[in-house]
Amino acid sequence: MKTIFLKDIYTDKLRPEKPSVATIGFFDGVHLGHQFLINRLAEMAKQDGLESMVITFDRHPRQVLQSDYQPKMLSTLDEKLEKLEQTAIDHIVVLHFDKALSQLTSRQFMDTVLHKQLNVCKLMMGYDNRFGHNRTETFDDYVLFGKETGVDVCQITAFSMGDFNVSSSVIRRFIEAGNMEEASRCLGIPYSLRGNVVGGYRNGRKLGYPTANINIRETEKLLPAMGVYAVRVRIANDEKEYGGMLNIGNRPTFNGADLSVEVHIFDFSGDLYGKTIEVRFISRVRSDRKFPTLDALAEQMQLDEQQIRTILENNRNI
């Protein structure tokens, strides 16, 4: 597999020698719906004797089109590429999304980028996929443009799970509600956050639960609903995986104001300041709330720990 970064659609000369069947999208989270599409793409390419290609972008288009847009992503670019590289796709193309690219109509994009630059002869589209400057075209329009530009266009059905179609927007709603079980089921893996450990308020130490404060200011990923979670923790340069209890909130018992993400790591001792840690969310156990006394909070944290250890023990394979 080869990952190609295309910085300029006009000056970068890329055109692969062998034609491809491709799909295009932002692929945030590379969830099971995306994987369903990608697997079908790989099968079609093999049947037709073509290369397979996934085309994505280095940043969310709305970051270019709306200067005040604050992305709430399911995956970083590195995480997205890591998951895509685990598929059976031959080529991953990352387009640099800028003003010039945003101005292309869907027909211009199909001709300039897909046909001439990337040697795409067949385009497989997701059931709700749209691209191009206005994003108002129907699937029939894409088929027509394809005939005019030498790209055969086909469409795949939605990937359903129960009574809903799996999509990035559906998964975001699960995460915003703290429903990490459903989010993980749709993603195929637990949702995760990664960040550097920074200095905090040290309130956990007073209660017998020292915590690592994760720097969330630099992340573009979506934060789950406020509350206490059962998580699994990986520390940079440490092969062991730890259990932990994580809190997202503003420390109401301490009259806090700003939002923090703090995790107490079970059965661990050591200095974590400056290190990168990754937390994988297994389940939300309760909401963030204010307690009348520190003793009441400490007692609740002991109950949280017992419940979380049980959850982690019962979900060893997650």
Side-chain angles (χ1 to χ4, degrees):
M1 180 180 296
K2 186 178 182 182
T3 300
I4 304 165
F5 289 84
L6 192 62
K7 295 182 179 180
D8 191 306
I9 58 173
Y10 296 107
T11 61
D12 287 358
K13 301 303 178 184
L14 177 64
R15 189 174 173 86
E17 182 178 345
K18 194 170 183 179
S20 294
V21 53
T23 189
I24 181 169
F26 192 66
F27 297 104
D28 189 24
V30 195
H31 52 66
L32 293 187
H34 293 143
Q35 293 173 40
F36 175 70
L37 169 65
I38 290 169
N39 290 337
R40 184 68 189 93
L41 177 75
E43 292 171 2
M44 180 179 289
K46 187 174 181 180
Q47 290 170 4
D48 295 347
L50 301 170
E51 298 279 274
S52 56
M53 180 182 292
V54 168
I55 304 167
T56 190
F57 307 103
D58 61 353
R59 51 182 167 169
H60 198 284
R62 286 178 63 185
Q63 289 179 271
V64 175
L65 302 175
Q66 298 174 229
S67 59
D68 60 344
Y69 177 65
Q70 298 293 324
K72 300 298 181 183
M73 299 290 99
L74 301 177
S75 57
T76 65
L77 177 60
D78 286 343
E79 289 170 345
K80 176 167 67 175
L81 294 180
E82 184 178 315
K83 290 190 72 173
L84 288 174
E85 287 167 358
Q86 294 171 1
T87 68
I89 294 299
D90 295 310
H91 304 290
I92 302 168
V93 176
V94 182
L95 299 179
H96 173 56
F97 197 92
D98 56 14
K99 285 289 186 181
L101 187 60
S102 73
Q103 294 302 312
L104 293 181
T105 65
S106 53
R107 189 192 185 286
Q108 290 171 329
F109 182 85
M110 291 175 74
D111 184 45
T112 302
V113 180
L114 297 186
H115 178 60
K116 294 179 179 177
Q117 186 69 283
L118 298 177
N119 198 11
V120 172
C121 66
K122 183 176 289 188
L123 178 66
M124 178 182 284
M125 297 185 60
Y127 76 101
D128 62 347
N129 195 17
R130 296 285 186 276
F131 62 87
H133 177 61
N134 292 320
R135 295 170 61 88
T136 57
E137 293 87 352
T138 65
F139 175 71
D140 289 339
D141 291 323
Y142 294 126
V143 172
L144 176 61
F145 299 153
K147 290 179 179 178
E148 295 172 348
T149 58
V151 179
D152 182 24
V153 180
C154 61
Q155 190 174 42
I156 193 170
T157 57
F159 179 78
S160 298
M161 187 174 285
D163 58 353
F164 62 89
N165 296 332
V166 175
S167 67
S168 297
S169 58
V170 166
I171 296 171
R172 289 189 192 98
R173 288 197 289 271
F174 284 138
I175 293 171
E176 289 170 339
N179 188 344
M180 307 314 292
E181 290 88 349
E182 283 297 287
S184 297
R185 201 161 69 93
C186 293
L187 285 166
I189 59 173
Y191 184 67
S192 66
L193 288 177
R194 186 181 301 168
N196 292 328
V197 176
V198 295
Y201 296 89
R202 298 179 178 268
N203 292 324
R205 292 182 182 276
K206 303 172 186 176
L207 304 170
Y209 287 92
T211 59
N213 192 314
I214 304 173
N215 183 9
I216 57 172
R217 294 179 182 176
E218 298 176 1
T219 184
E220 295 182 341
K221 293 187 70 172
L222 177 66
L223 284 182
M226 291 196 293
V228 177
Y229 292 84
V231 297
R232 298 196 190 280
V233 185
R234 282 201 173 275
I235 304 166
N237 302 317
D238 186 340
E239 294 183 359
K240 184 177 178 180
E241 184 175 71
Y242 300 87
M245 61 179 184
L246 178 143
N247 184 76
I248 299 175
N250 53 18
R251 308 175 320 284
T253 305
F254 296 91
N255 297 314
D258 55 321
L259 192 68
S260 66
V261 178
E262 301 175 87
V263 58
H264 172 72
I265 305 174
F266 298 150
D267 310 314
F268 173 84
S269 62
D271 185 7
L272 290 174
Y273 289 118
K275 290 188 177 181
T276 299
I277 65 174
E278 179 183 53
V279 294
R280 294 191 293 128
F281 292 84
I282 307 302
S283 181
R284 183 173 185 251
V285 298
R286 66 172 174 86
S287 62
D288 188 40
R289 64 179 187 269
K290 185 171 183 174
F291 290 86
T293 65
L294 293 184
D295 286 342
L297 173 57
E299 183 177 341
Q300 180 60 55
M301 292 180 73
Q302 292 173 15
L303 296 174
D304 293 339
E305 178 183 0
Q306 294 173 13
Q307 183 179 357
I308 288 171
R309 284 186 181 273
T310 299
I311 290 171
L312 296 177
E313 178 65 24
N314 292 337
N315 293 272
R316 286 185 176 185
N317 297 326
I318 300 178

